[in-house]
Amino acid sequence: MSKKANPTVIGLFFTIGLALGITGLLVFSSRSLFHPQHKTILYFNASLKGLNPGAPVKFRGVTVGSVVDILIRHNQAPDDFSMPVVIAIDKKLAQTKSDEQLRIGDKSSLDRVIRQGLRARLDSESLVTGVLYVALDIIPDAPPPTFHQLTPEYQEIPTVSSDLQQLMNGLAHLNLQDLSEQLGGILAHVDLILNQLDVPAINAGLTNFLGSANQVVTSPDLTNSLASLRKILDQARLLVQHVDGSVDPVVKSATNTLNEAQKTLADLRVGLQDISDLVGPDSSLRPSLAQALEELGSASLSVADLAELLKRNPNALLVGKKSKELP
């Protein structure tokens, strides 16, 4: 006989399962509940291999969101084969990275930064694994923006090719066949030049040159010349030291002589100034000097008369001057 199920146990089991379900829902949706997300769409004209949902979205290396969905086509023209990617910007996370209020979701603010060069591109987390992430950056010389949505469903950020993609595109356009043919021609030309070289003669010439160089290096004349040069340099060093020892006293003596000459010139200048003061127009000695000169002139005339008298009558000093005879 089967045992009857206990309604209490069944109810308890149902209650526990419901609680676990609600807890799991809260855990998995807590990011959306407590971290408001702003969804934006990007269109990449490249392969999305290596980009997965949940991949980080970084603004100049700082994580501000994640990839939500990767699509093949969405709200675009029939001849537009760009790959749409929906990303979510975590407003709370981004705001914690800035001390200014970020206007995430404001269309006028987004249009302004797009005009300033805001672009999205795919970058590689690792060249080994090939894992990609979405990088946002301000590019001053960015190309004009291209938008793909037919109707405005999401805010859209224009995209540009990454440096790696540009490199791969350049390699894809290389004409490897022509490059291989040109490289083969260069190698054939080099091989022809090498075959025309007289390698034995070059080896013999190089051997002779090395032998001659060895003879020159080990020559006694070179050794003697180097010894003589060293002796000359030693003598020159001694001469320079002697000259340095002699120059200092000479310079000191010349300096003393110049100082004495300068002092003599100063004394001479003072003497000339004193003479100038004596004979100047305002000098107090000028009248006396003039009178003395006049008296000296009169005395000179008297001496001249005496000399003339003695010339005519040499005995005048003995007999005196003769008086004129009366008539």
Side-chain angles (χ1 to χ4, degrees), residues 56-64 121 123 133-137:
V57 176
K58 301 181 180 182
F59 178 75
R60 292 188 167 180
V62 179
T63 300
V64 294
R121 65 172 182 267
D123 274 352
Y133 70 94
V134 175
L136 302 177
D137 200 354

Side-chain angles (χ1 to χ4, degrees), residues 75-139:
N75 191 20
Q76 58 195 103
D79 57 349
D80 185 358
F81 298 100
S82 298
M83 303 291 288
V85 175
V86 180
I87 65 173
I89 305 298
D90 190 328
K91 293 183 178 181
K92 185 175 181 180
L93 176 62
Q95 188 59 59
T96 60
K97 309 296 182 179
S98 175
D99 60 351
E100 296 181 0
Q101 185 63 36
L102 301 179
R103 300 173 61 186
I104 299 174
D106 183 74
K107 187 177 184 307
S108 60
S109 178
L110 179 62
D111 292 341
R112 177 176 56 82
V113 292
I114 288 176
R115 288 194 300 270
Q116 292 174 348
L118 176 65
R119 299 292 185 272
R121 65 172 182 267
L122 297 175
D123 274 352
S124 177
E125 288 277 12
S126 172
L127 295 177
V128 177
T129 61
V131 176
L132 301 178
Y133 70 94
V134 175
L136 302 177
D137 200 354
I138 302 293
I139 305 175

